[in-house]
Amino acid sequence: MKKIGQPKKENETFLKREDFYKNLLRKLNAEKTKVKLGGGQKAIEKHKAKGKLTARERIASLLDNPNDFFELSTFAAYGMYEEYGGAPSSGTVYGIGKINGRYHVVVANDATVKAGAWFPITAKKNLRAQEISMENRLPIIYLVDSAGVFLPLQDEIFPDKEHFGRIFRNNAVMSSMGIPQISAIMGPCVAGGAYLPIMSDEALIVEGEGSVFLAGSHLVKAAIGEEIDNEKLGGARVQSNISGVTDYIMKSDEECLAQIKSLVSKFGESPKAGFNRTESRPPQFSPKEIYGLLPEDPIKPYDMYEVIARIVDDSEIDEYKAGYGKTLITAYARIDGWAVGIVANQRTVVKTESDKGAGEMQVGGVIYSDSADKAARFIMNCNQKKIPLVFLQDVTGFMVGSRAEHGGIIKDGAKMVNAVANSVVPKITIIVGNSFGAGNYAMCGKAYDPRFIFIYPNAKISVMGGQQASSVLLDIKLKQAQKNDKEFSEENKKKLLNEIMESYENASSPLYAAARLWVDEIIDPALTREYISMAIDVANNNPEMPRFSTGVIQT
């Protein structure tokens, strides 16, 4: 083991960075507060006037400690569906928390947002909740209060493989896997949505508020001419005492949630994966010091070793191939007692050669052949030893140019991608800075099935850096204009470049990514240890691990 990290230097650079990051977090938390109001204060008051709890209040009532709830995809649909008045958190709240000492996934419709209607991102969010439940063998609880599909966008949510129907398919698959599912019908549950609670193991319904039917009273009258109200059609007493569809009648939200807690308290124990854990030890340096280490501009240099020193136990690592492939750090460590393998991009100085002679260049997270080769071997070692992997992404891509190509960068990059793709141990990805191009893939981006993927508030996700991309896009627009015999003045070129740059930067931002569920949550860097520890603790609930094999790897 070796100690890493130096005490913080409260110089001007550190203090400026710290102030920048704290201000960024303040803005982010202010936006989060707005999002958590759902449909707004008036909608909340109307909802509570019926004697109902809000979605987040329902979840809080279930948990042992609401402060320990890891809400995920909080910013789902952020900035989307504005033409329909928006859909804060996509009208659904979900996350991971402990009930009777055991982790559960809890999903709750937010009826203050368009009566809990399902937008396209709502379906994607619910599917992600089920995916987490399946991957980690976590029991899942659905708190249903929804008017069903948002009809103006039905074509984007109904028929495809990853659309609404996939949720009910997952209900069936999860049941066959032995994953407990409990549903509480705490409001309307209409049409196809009726299958979700009824395909769960057990269903509770709140009298007077809960209802479940394939077609509501208006549609029934239109379809077959029968006149009947919703309560007599599919209310609590009808569906529990006549049809036998639901299993428990509850008088209120509070009674319903207490009954759920009683039911889950009787679940039997399940085997664990057996990831290694010892007593947790704090880092030698405060995790909050990360604020002062990360640059305001993601292109500027910083030392990833210093970030790691504020995440790992006792600021100690066993570094693998420390002197080789220095643009990637590979090391064994512990985080909150859990043994982990860390793969982290490092900004470093490399020697360069050109017509003008030898020199040096600051490299911002570029992956070279030797770095990729080292990482591939390290990832295979972690799979051999059943050690979860933590990827700390700040990558601008693989090295380009004749020297890199002649050295086999594509072959070595393919080795790393192969190892990441076929890895069977849990992978947790934190996007610390840049996440560009094929570097996103090699460092276990969303397409490579990380169990969880989180992002820092000042990070970026895109196919390339904003400056390079904007220059390319500007050049394309200018060539198109030339074909149409149009000319741009220098002033107009500059204006156009700024517009392209702003648009590109917005589409690369954490909020843009979180809105579309490319990441599970935007997190406070000071809480990195807590999120990683939770992720491994959750992953430890799935004892099934396929045999690790990479297939064909060129050497």
Side-chain angles (χ1 to χ4, degrees):
M1 299 289 283
K2 75 172 183 179
K3 298 277 188 184
I4 56 171
Q6 298 292 328
K8 67 177 180 179
K9 297 175 182 177
E10 289 198 350
N11 54 28
E12 186 180 352
T13 300
F14 182 93
L15 293 173
K16 280 179 68 176
R17 289 178 173 182
E18 182 181 51
D19 187 57
F20 172 81
Y21 230 100
K22 285 181 176 178
N23 193 44
L24 201 61
L25 284 167
R26 279 194 293 270
K27 290 178 181 178
L28 185 72
N29 288 332
E31 288 302 307
K32 188 176 287 188
T33 299
K34 290 180 192 175
V35 165
K36 287 186 175 182
L37 283 173
Q41 200 58 50
K42 286 185 179 179
I44 291 171
E45 288 169 8
K46 186 178 178 182
H47 180 84
K48 291 174 82 71
K50 300 175 183 176
K52 299 166 74 170
L53 300 173
T54 66
R56 288 182 174 84
E57 286 173 341
R58 287 167 174 170
I59 292 172
S61 296
L62 274 178
L63 302 175
D64 297 344
N65 183 355
N67 294 326
D68 291 337
F69 180 59
F70 291 88
E71 184 173 341
L72 302 174
S73 302
T74 310
F75 288 103
Y78 184 87
M80 300 171 68
Y81 312 124
E82 295 297 329
E83 64 273 38
Y84 303 107
S89 273
S90 76
T92 297
V93 182
Y94 94 94
I96 297 169
K98 286 186 176 179
I99 306 172
N100 297 307
R102 178 183 293 188
Y103 277 120
H104 290 70
V105 176
V106 186
V107 187
N109 298 120
D110 185 352
T112 71
V113 179
K114 300 288 189 297
W118 289 58
F119 288 77
I121 286 291
T122 315
K124 188 176 180 181
K125 185 170 176 176
N126 278 263
L127 287 170
R128 176 60 180 146
Q130 289 181 319
E131 182 180 48
I132 289 171
S133 175
M134 286 189 280
E135 285 183 332
N136 302 290
R137 301 297 191 272
L138 293 186
I140 187 167
I141 295 168
Y142 308 100
L143 306 178
V144 184
D145 192 347
S146 171
V149 167
F150 187 67
L151 288 177
L153 297 173
Q154 62 85 24
D155 61 317
E156 297 179 40
I157 189 175
F158 170 65
D160 210 346
K161 181 179 178 181
E162 301 299 330
H163 284 178
F164 198 60
R166 187 76 173 185
I167 291 164
F168 318 134
R169 174 264 186 195
N170 285 352
N171 286 139
V173 171
M174 291 162 77
S175 184
S176 73
M177 293 168 69
I179 297 171
Q181 301 176 80
I182 292 179
S183 287
I185 302 167
M186 309 178 86
C189 188
V190 188
Y195 286 106
L196 185 146
I198 309 313
M199 293 186 74
S200 300
D201 301 333
E202 292 180 281
L204 304 86
I205 187 167
V206 177
E207 190 173 10
E209 287 299 332
S211 58
V212 55
F213 32 64
L214 291 181
S217 55
H218 292 295
L219 187 55
V220 166
K221 184 178 179 180
I224 63 173
E226 181 183 1
E227 293 196 17
I228 188 170
D229 63 41
N230 284 338
E231 190 64 27
K232 290 178 181 176
L233 180 66
R237 296 207 169 272
V238 169
Q239 296 293 25
S240 295
N241 300 343
I242 298 176
S243 69
V245 165
T246 53
D247 307 307
Y248 305 88
I249 300 177
M250 300 288 110
K251 290 187 172 65
S252 65
D253 279 13
E254 290 83 357
E255 185 180 75
C256 183
L257 296 165
Q259 181 65 37
I260 293 172
K261 292 182 78 168
S262 179
L263 291 172
V264 302
S265 71
K266 298 172 180 67
F267 289 172
E269 290 298 320
S270 300
K272 303 288 185 183
F275 302 124
N276 185 277
R277 192 179 197 184
T278 59
E279 185 180 351
S280 176
R281 292 178 296 167
Q284 294 286 311
F285 314 100
S286 170
K288 288 187 176 181
E289 292 177 11
I290 296 174
Y291 303 152
L293 297 172
L294 298 175
E296 309 96 312
D297 184 344
I299 296 174
K300 290 182 179 177
Y302 69 96
D303 189 350
M304 184 64 85
Y305 284 101
E306 295 296 332
V307 175
I308 294 171
R310 285 148 180 87
I311 294 173
V312 301
D313 288 14
D314 213 23
S315 301
E316 288 183 338
I317 62 172
D318 289 314
E319 188 167 8
Y320 176 79
K321 294 186 183 291
Y324 179 69
K326 289 188 175 183
T327 62
L328 273 177
I329 300 167
T330 49
Y332 303 104
R334 290 190 182 276
I335 296 176
D336 196 26
W338 293 105
V340 298
I342 295 173
V343 181
N345 300 109
Q346 169 69 324
R347 295 173 183 267
T348 188
V349 174
V350 297
K351 293 180 179 179
T352 60
E353 290 183 13
S354 67
D355 296 339
K356 297 178 181 179
E360 289 186 339
M361 178 176 66
Q362 169 74 33
V363 178
V366 176
I367 301 175
Y368 283 75
S369 284
D370 54 358
S371 305
D373 177 64
K374 175 174 80 168
R377 180 57 185 261
F378 180 74
I379 290 164
M380 289 189 276
N381 282 345
C382 287
N383 277 273
Q384 182 81 353
K385 300 168 185 176
K386 207 162 82 169
I387 299 173
L389 284 158
V390 174
F391 291 85
L392 300 177
Q393 275 200 24
D394 188 352
V395 58
T396 52
F398 287 93
M399 190 58 192
V400 297
S402 60
R403 190 172 177 181
E405 296 293 355
H406 298 170
I409 185 65
I410 296 175
K411 178 182 67 177
D412 290 318
K415 280 189 218 173
M416 183 177 175
V417 170
N418 194 319
V420 172
N422 286 296
S423 183
V424 297
V425 296
K427 298 170 288 193
I428 298 99
T429 300
I430 313 284
I431 303 175
V432 174
N434 299 310
S435 181
F436 296 160
N440 170 283
Y441 304 154
M443 290 296 293
C444 197
K446 183 71 170 178
Y448 287 76
D449 297 323
R451 290 290 177 95
F452 295 93
I453 179 167
F454 305 114
I455 190 169
Y456 283 180
N458 199 35
K460 300 284 182 187
I461 303 179
S462 60
V463 75
M464 65 177 73
Q467 197 70 49
Q468 300 95 312
S470 298
S471 296
V472 172
L473 291 169
L474 177 64
D475 189 50
I476 291 169
K477 283 186 175 291
L478 292 176
K479 286 179 179 176
Q480 287 173 341
Q482 285 173 359
K483 287 181 181 178
N484 296 320
D485 296 323
K486 290 183 180 179
E487 291 292 333
F488 282 88
S489 67
E490 287 303 315
E491 185 180 340
N492 285 336
K493 284 180 186 177
K494 188 175 180 180
K495 184 181 177 182
L496 183 57
L497 179 62
N498 288 336
E499 288 174 357
I500 293 169
M501 186 77 166
E502 185 179 354
S503 174
Y504 194 88
E505 288 295 323
N506 286 338
S508 307
S509 74
L511 280 170
Y512 192 91
R516 289 152 183 80
L517 307 191
W518 300 346
V519 295
D520 290 315
E521 191 70 356
I522 306 171
I523 67 169
D524 181 342
L527 299 178
T528 304
R529 279 172 56 83
E530 286 82 348
Y531 277 89
I532 293 173
S533 178
M534 176 276 292
I536 299 174
D537 202 0
V538 162
N540 199 39
N541 285 280
N542 184 358
E544 296 179 18
M545 200 171 297
R547 185 179 68 85
F548 176 64
S549 173
T550 58
V552 176
I553 291 187
Q554 290 186 332
T555 56

